[in-house]
Amino acid sequence: MKRFLSIVAILLLAGPIQAAELKLAAVFTDHMVLQRDKPVPVWGWADPGEKVTVEFAGQTHATTADAKGKWLVKLTPLSASAESRDLTVRAAGKKAEVKLADVLVGEVWLGSGQSNMAMTVARSRDYEAEKAAAKLPQIRFFKETSGAAAEPQADAKGAWEVCSPETVGNSSAALYFFGREIQRELNVPVGLINSSVGGTPIESWVAAEVQAASPELKESHVANIKGFNSFDAEKAKADYAKALDRWKEQVAAAKAAGKTPPTRPTDPAATRSRRGAPGGLFNGKINPLIPFAIRGVLWYQGEANSSNEKASLYQHQLAALVTDWRARWGEELPFAWVQLPNFNRAGDGWSLVREGMLKTLRLPNTGMAITVDIGDPKDIHPTNKQDVGKRLAMWALGSVYGKKEIATSGPLPAKSTVRDAEVVISFTHTDGGLKARGDVTGFQIAGVDRVWKPAAARIEGDTVIVSSADVKQPVALRYAWEANPTCNLFNGQGLPATPFRTDDWPTTVNKK
């Protein structure tokens, strides 16, 4: 498989749409935002052989629909503009015309992942105040509403909306708060594309052929395909009915005892449909958006991969997703993700997914919003999406838009050295110096016996010196390794240090 696919090849792979009339791809609608400062593909369908002309901002580009009715032109790079303009597409033979109104030019970002990306502003903290303040017409939303698909789909579903108190409640909170920050700072229009589905694992978002070709992922991929294909719908339906009956009894008993009712059981058939087969959400919800011009991608997922023995694969899965999406867009798109926050979860799976996210920073032009201090230990959907969006925006403003005074990350481990009975760990992204709110907490060290002991720690410049009276000869160190850790290391701009470990010892979820 070639590392980079051309735009034309991607469209051919998506399969034909038989068009009897002039049609634009669904991601092109009124109120849209086009990406500034790079070529902008505009595509759609018409009768085979039809001459199609696209006009926008003084540019005119013509092409001819191919034998399957597909056509594509590229607008030359556009400057940012909040001026409301029309984009017009004409088919000469049929004298047909499609006109899109109120088109702006600025910065466009794609957000994807599971429920925390899908979570709306209406469910976030301080909604009424946020709603009242959302009179921001230079921010526009596009929500991709397709489902999973067995094959790559050619067209998306959705429409662009202008940000307002009436529309903001249904938008992705993480995306909106990110977009609000960069719009304020850059003073250009911002388009936010939300293509996310709650409760979905990363393998649904990585193209099946990519997983099948990966040495690290092939075995798991084969098992996942086998599990999907062997699903017994009738048995699942019967089991679910029994589980519902038990749940109703438990709810009644809990209410009678004045206790909190248990969570409603999940319908396995609905879960299967929502997730699709491995690669199914890539086929249905990402492929149709390619090659729409965007600045970069924000990823908010990982919860669904944290509770089984395959959590340690996340470093390979996320790297595969980033690399493949970039290849299909044909450029090294800036790509950042939200690291899992503090949350009560047994086992090491939550920490292993965090670790996988940290390790994927080895890819160039990537970033990570560390959120170990702003989660909710009792809620997998924390309502503080404002700080999530702000931290993603800090990365983008500093790393993508060149605002050098802005910290782009919390402290990341750089090098660890054992010095007698101490472990010295140095950090990057200290931005004004390492800080702790009180005595430094969150560190553990272990010797060759692999027994972890709480450790004392002190800050010296950009390093932390760690030791324990119970470990005379330390060989490994961990920081904030628990799913809901007690930890307090920050940089000078108030961003928390990432959880990490220096060992690679077996954990409670990845033992063979």
Side-chain angles (χ1 to χ4, degrees):
M1 176 179 176
K2 294 183 178 179
R3 182 175 178 81
F4 289 95
L5 302 176
S6 70
I7 288 173
V8 174
I10 292 167
L11 290 173
L12 289 174
L13 285 171
I17 285 183
Q18 297 302 323
E21 60 181 331
L22 181 64
K23 173 182 168 64
L24 272 163
V27 72
F28 296 91
T29 76
D30 295 342
H31 313 303
M32 69 183 304
V33 180
L34 298 177
Q35 176 61 48
R36 66 170 172 170
D37 299 338
K38 64 168 65 175
V40 175
V42 180
W43 73 95
W45 297 268
D47 286 338
E50 186 80 67
K51 182 179 178 182
V52 177
T53 302
V54 177
E55 298 176 1
F56 181 71
Q59 297 187 34
T60 301
H61 299 270
T63 189
T64 301
D66 66 17
K68 295 182 179 180
K70 293 179 180 177
W71 58 266
L72 181 147
V73 303
K74 284 186 180 180
L75 302 176
T76 56
L78 300 154
S79 298
S81 174
E83 178 186 353
S84 177
R85 292 180 287 192
D86 294 341
L87 185 150
T88 303
V89 183
R90 295 186 177 92
K94 286 194 172 183
K95 298 183 179 179
E97 179 180 285
V98 176
K99 182 172 287 188
L100 305 183
D102 188 29
V103 178
L104 309 183
V105 180
E107 291 298 307
V108 183
W109 285 82
L110 168 63
S112 189
Q114 61 178 110
S115 54
N116 272 303
M117 180 60 82
M119 183 174 166
T120 62
V121 175
R123 294 174 56 202
S124 68
R125 187 184 67 183
D126 302 328
Y127 170 54
E128 291 302 323
E130 297 293 2
K131 177 181 177 181
K135 298 174 183 177
L136 300 170
Q138 288 194 45
I139 296 177
R140 308 291 173 88
F141 308 120
F142 182 92
K143 184 177 181 180
E144 211 297 323
T145 59
S146 304
E151 299 294 335
Q153 298 300 293
D155 205 8
K157 293 180 182 178
W160 286 88
E161 291 185 323
V162 179
C163 178
S164 71
E166 292 71 36
T167 62
V168 74
N170 291 324
S171 72
S172 161
L175 266 185
Y176 169 65
F177 294 124
F178 163 83
R180 186 176 67 180
E181 292 288 332
I182 68 168
Q183 199 282 321
R184 286 174 176 171
E185 185 70 26
L186 302 177
N187 195 29
V188 300
V190 171
L192 303 169
I193 301 173
N194 172 20
S195 185
S196 56
V197 181
T200 54
I202 194 171
E203 52 265 31
S204 294
W205 296 95
V206 182
E209 64 270 23
V210 171
Q211 298 179 69
S214 167
E216 297 87 0
L217 302 179
K218 182 177 180 179
E219 181 180 351
S220 175
H221 177 67
V222 170
N224 288 335
I225 290 289
K226 182 178 179 180
F228 183 84
N229 291 337
S230 63
F231 182 78
D232 187 330
E234 290 303 316
K235 183 178 183 302
K237 182 178 180 180
D239 290 345
Y240 179 56
K242 293 177 182 177
L244 273 180
D245 289 340
R246 289 194 300 271
W247 173 73
K248 291 175 183 177
E249 293 174 358
Q250 292 167 349
V251 169
K255 288 182 177 179
K259 297 181 179 179
T260 303
T263 303
R264 183 187 179 95
T266 302
D267 181 353
T271 299
R272 181 177 185 270
S273 175
R274 184 174 65 252
R275 295 181 173 187
L281 290 172
F282 170 82
N283 291 339
K285 295 182 71 67
I286 298 299
N287 194 76
L289 300 172
I290 302 169
F292 192 78
I294 59 177
R295 176 63 68 194
V297 182
L298 304 176
W299 178 251
Y300 198 167
Q301 191 274 340
E303 300 91 340
N305 290 85
S306 69
S307 59
N308 61 56
E309 70 282 359
K310 297 178 182 178
S312 59
L313 291 177
Y314 201 84
Q315 61 176 303
H316 307 298
Q317 293 168 318
L318 183 55
L321 184 147
V322 173
T323 302
D324 184 57
W325 287 20
R326 284 175 166 177
R328 293 173 190 271
W329 256 279
E331 58 179 307
E332 192 181 89
L333 293 167
F335 212 117
W337 45 89
V338 181
Q339 193 184 48
L340 292 182
N342 48 309
F343 177 65
N344 288 330
R345 173 64 65 84
D348 285 326
W350 200 262
S351 297
L352 287 170
V353 170
R354 280 194 193 126
E355 181 180 58
M357 293 174 165
L358 174 61
K359 288 183 175 181
T360 310
L361 291 176
R362 67 183 182 276
L363 296 180
N365 209 13
T366 57
M368 182 173 73
I370 302 165
T371 63
V372 71
D373 61 323
I374 55 173
D376 184 335
K378 298 180 179 180
D379 191 346
I380 203 168
H381 302 118
T383 61
N384 181 5
K385 292 295 187 283
Q386 287 88 341
D387 282 327
V388 173
K390 183 176 181 179
R391 290 175 187 184
L392 287 170
M394 291 175 72
W395 164 78
L397 291 168
S399 295
V400 180
Y401 299 112
K403 305 287 185 180
K404 300 301 182 184
E405 71 279 7
I406 297 177
T408 59
S409 172
L412 303 177
K415 181 181 179 182
S416 66
T417 304
V418 176
R419 188 177 63 192
D420 299 324
E422 299 176 325
V423 180
V424 181
I425 183 82
S426 61
F427 291 85
T428 59
H429 295 281
T430 56
D431 293 284
L434 295 173
K435 312 288 183 183
R437 297 168 183 176
D439 294 335
V440 184
T441 61
F443 285 93
Q444 297 175 299
I445 58 176
V448 292
D449 60 0
R450 301 188 178 186
V451 175
W452 293 100
K453 298 292 183 179
R458 67 183 188 276
I459 295 170
E460 291 186 3
D462 291 339
T463 67
V464 177
I465 316 300
V466 186
S467 62
S468 170
D470 296 324
V471 183
K472 301 301 183 183
Q473 294 181 308
V475 298
L477 173 148
R478 290 180 176 182
Y479 173 73
W481 184 253
E482 299 87 355
N484 181 30
T486 299
C487 56
N488 66 351
L489 186 64
F490 293 79
N491 66 17
Q493 290 204 26
L495 296 178
T498 179
F500 69 96
R501 60 175 177 162
T502 63
D503 65 283
D504 59 358
W505 300 339
T507 64
T508 58
V509 296
N510 68 350
K511 292 181 179 178
K512 297 294 184 181

